[in-house]
Amino acid sequence: MFSKILIANRGEIACRVIRTAQKMGISTVAVYSDADAHALHVSMADEAVHIGPAPVTDSYLRADHIIAAALETGAEAIHPGYGFLSENPGFVDAVVKAGLVFIGPSADSIRAMGLKDAAKRLMEKAGVPVVPGYHGEAQELVVLASKAREIGYPVLIKARAGGGGKGMRKVENPEDFAEALGSARREAKSAFGDDRVLVEKYIAKPRHIEVQVFGDNHGNVVHLYERDCSLQRRHQKVIEEAPAPGITAEMRDAMTNAAVKAAQAIKYSGAGTIEFIVDATEGLLPDRFWFMEMNTRLQVEHPVTEMITGLDLVEWQLCVAAGEKLPLTQAQIPLTGHSMEVRLYAEDPAKSFLPATGTLYHLAFPSAVKDGTVRVETGVRSGDAVSPFYDPMIAKLVVYAADRPAALSAMANALGETEVAGTVTNTAFLAALVRHAGFAAGDVDTGLIDRDLAGLVAPVAIEAGARELAILFASGLLKRPVLGDPWTALRGYSHLGPLAYPVTLEEGGATTRYGVSVLGDERYGISSSGGTQELRVRHGPATWHVTGKGINLHAKAITIPHGVAVLAKGATATFTVADPFLLAEAAGGAGDRLAAPMPGLVKSVRFAAGDQVKKGQVLLVLEAMKMEHSITAPHDGRIAEIASEGTQVKEKASLVRFEESAIDPAKI
């Protein structure tokens, strides 16, 4: 076994690998960019090596820097995690050439499965069913459009390299094909350095079911059962679970046998996943599944497999890479209970899941983590920042229970106890999915989220009393009682009459001024133009208890820059305390500019200064966090200035300015 390994990754997967290595007595080396100098994975590792600036092209994709770090620190092997260089055969070759061990499959296996078109041709020869489509080499628009007509619309354009939904577009009509192809190619080129695509038939009611496989260097291959990853948005997984809802023994046997056959066809060694698309229009039938692709690495969702088998897949990876045989035979691998995983992201579901950044001023996870029914995989702590340079995942919440209904209940509780302040998250969206009647019944497919999106992203009503608690907190009068301090209860009290402490909140672009007074005996008054409200506030072991007319709130309150976050029942309500020096500046805005919603690269520009545009037209495409975001015109008007293609912009930087005379205020 190895004595020291280097983890060529960051975030939660780096932390995950480090934990298993520590359990096995293996020393670890972390690598980090400028943005990750104080990251959790750096502090967990025994050693850490700086490998470059924040952009991934200058750090986590620098194979030479990573290999040099391994050699300098005396590491014997490199674990790639997932993403970055994990499925790059050139990196594997370089690792082996340097005399190191790559903890994963061979470069030949990665090459065989790395390009979707070639992989599907290989699977056809191996007798594994593949979805109807065009997997050829020709990439001319006229050829691809012709093949799409032959296949029959709707079709799916897919980048032949990579995964994660990047470079993937569904096309309903022939007239939309050229635009979708161009967009898919740009995104694929940016994410994978390869803009070639394949075209496949779009399945009407698809389910995404994958099989975890494992091979060793002695010719042994086993499966560790299936995972259902059908709940997706933008072709990216949102909730994963195992076993797959509604699967029969016959269906499982057919899929797992096909998965093992696929792995054997390329003499696979290490952890891998065979992904299948399933036509669920008539349920799960053993002749209605097709090979999509193979991920030649550890999957993000591997914890659900670990929970139902009781196995440590990273430990298996290390053992196989060290030359050992698989620890168990197929008959010895157990399958018990039900596990489910959700991906907690810094993103705004109400704004088309726009990735978010920010500082995690408060981060707390469910108490059930202590008894093993809830597992949290994270690479961040309270006080860390969600960087614009990397994937905005905050954590993965994983639950385990005896059956699926119990797992759903456990996940609902886990989400209700998860607390994040400092950035917008998809927590409420995930909770709505867990409560979704169709999902609870196991009637899932990859289109579920899109069909019911409006209800799933509907704003969550602010808990009664949350605003009042924020106002009290912002006033500075509400403090935890200090044990043994008799003056705590008199803070802000005036013998001559209650003093009104001013607080101005900004909500929805409007500001409201409040006055807060101390009435004594844990009572406070909040006055505004609508009158005065009296409240009583007590501090319990973990939360504030606010009572008043129509209010009975138990919540936490966290002071954040320029505001207060109130956390209750898994939801976070953020209230901005207005800065009077900025109010005048904000009031002077004429609505004649479009600002960048996040840091990013201007990937393409559709118009020029002087052009007349109509409301809803795409003006430019901003690439951020490896995804393309269309910036559209909010109203009719004439462009005065527009950002140049290839420009790197900061958050809130001006992208487009309209001629003021062309703006109709009624359309803003």
Side-chain angles (χ1 to χ4, degrees), residues 327-340:
L328 299 176
T329 64
Q330 188 66 66
Q332 294 174 316
I333 299 172
L335 170 58
T336 58
H338 198 96
S339 182
M340 193 172 292

Side-chain angles (χ1 to χ4, degrees), residues 171-421:
V171 190
E172 298 275 6
N173 305 297
E175 55 267 27
D176 299 328
F177 188 85
E179 174 72 16
L181 176 63
S183 179
R185 280 176 164 165
R186 287 193 302 273
E187 194 167 274
K189 183 69 174 178
S190 173
F192 315 119
D194 185 344
D195 66 355
R196 287 170 290 182
V197 301
L198 51 86
V199 183
E200 293 182 342
K201 178 66 179 174
Y202 183 81
I203 307 300
K205 190 177 181 181
R207 280 180 65 174
H208 181 140
I209 302 177
E210 60 190 30
V211 176
Q212 177 72 59
V213 293
F214 235 104
D216 63 22
N217 295 313
H218 304 275
N220 302 304
V221 178
V222 298
H223 69 80
L224 279 71
Y225 309 103
E226 81 286 344
R227 297 184 289 256
D228 194 304
C229 308
S230 298
L231 277 193
Q232 302 179 6
R233 50 93 182 162
R234 291 181 179 172
H235 305 290
Q236 291 185 318
K237 300 164 188 174
V238 177
I239 298 182
E240 304 100 350
E241 59 182 311
I247 195 167
T248 62
E250 184 182 16
M251 179 70 165
R252 175 176 290 137
D253 286 345
M255 292 188 74
T256 54
N257 287 339
V260 170
K261 188 185 297 183
Q264 290 172 332
I266 58 171
K267 297 180 174 59
Y268 195 77
S269 176
T273 299
I274 309 296
E275 300 196 353
F276 296 103
I277 189 168
V278 181
D279 182 355
T281 52
E282 298 178 21
L284 297 181
L285 301 177
D287 62 346
R288 299 289 182 86
F289 70 90
W290 301 277
F291 172 87
M292 284 198 302
E293 62 184 358
M294 181 179 190
N295 287 305
T296 52
R297 54 172 168 78
L298 198 65
Q299 290 282 91
V300 178
E301 58 272 20
H302 77 273
V304 297
T305 295
E306 294 184 322
M307 298 296 262
I308 64 167
T309 60
L311 304 174
D312 185 331
L313 270 62
V314 174
E315 183 176 350
W316 276 40
Q317 284 187 299
L318 292 169
C319 290
V320 167
E324 299 177 16
K325 291 184 177 181
L326 291 176
L328 299 176
T329 64
Q330 188 66 66
Q332 294 174 316
I333 299 172
L335 170 58
T336 58
H338 198 96
S339 182
M340 193 172 292
E341 173 185 292
V342 301
R343 304 186 186 193
L344 181 64
Y345 273 96
E347 63 182 9
D348 192 345
K351 295 181 179 178
S352 300
F353 297 93
L354 190 70
T357 57
T359 299
L360 301 171
Y361 296 108
H362 176 78
L363 180 63
F365 295 112
S367 57
V369 169
K370 297 177 182 178
D371 62 25
T373 58
V374 176
R375 172 174 164 179
V376 176
E377 299 285 346
T378 185
V380 293
R381 304 152 292 188
S382 288
D384 286 350
V386 179
S387 168
F389 296 102
Y390 313 116
D391 186 86
M393 181 189 289
I394 296 173
K396 300 182 305 193
L397 300 182
V398 189
V399 300
Y400 175 80
D403 54 33
R404 191 169 188 270
L408 279 167
S409 178
M411 183 58 77
N413 292 336
L415 287 167
E417 293 182 16
T418 298
E419 300 171 348
V420 184

Side-chain angles (χ1 to χ4, degrees), residues 111-142:
R111 287 189 178 95
M113 289 297 192
L115 298 178
K116 294 182 178 66
D117 51 357
K120 289 184 178 182
R121 292 195 295 268
L122 178 62
M123 290 299 98
E124 285 180 310
K125 292 180 181 178
V128 178
V130 300
V131 68
Y134 173 70
H135 311 131
E137 291 292 334
Q139 292 291 301
E140 294 81 5
L141 170 60
V142 64

Side-chain angles (χ1 to χ4, degrees), residues 75-155:
E76 301 153 274
I78 295 178
H79 194 300
Y82 55 72
F84 295 143
L85 294 168
S86 63
E87 294 180 283
N88 186 317
F91 178 59
V92 179
D93 285 336
V95 169
V96 174
K97 185 177 180 180
L100 303 167
V101 175
F102 180 77
I103 303 173
S106 68
D108 288 343
S109 292
I110 295 176
R111 287 189 178 95
M113 289 297 192
L115 298 178
K116 294 182 178 66
D117 51 357
K120 289 184 178 182
R121 292 195 295 268
L122 178 62
M123 290 299 98
E124 285 180 310
K125 292 180 181 178
V128 178
V130 300
V131 68
Y134 173 70
H135 311 131
E137 291 292 334
Q139 292 291 301
E140 294 81 5
L141 170 60
V142 64
V143 173
L144 296 176
S146 174
K147 294 297 182 182
R149 291 191 193 94
E150 291 177 14
I151 296 165
Y153 285 89
V155 298

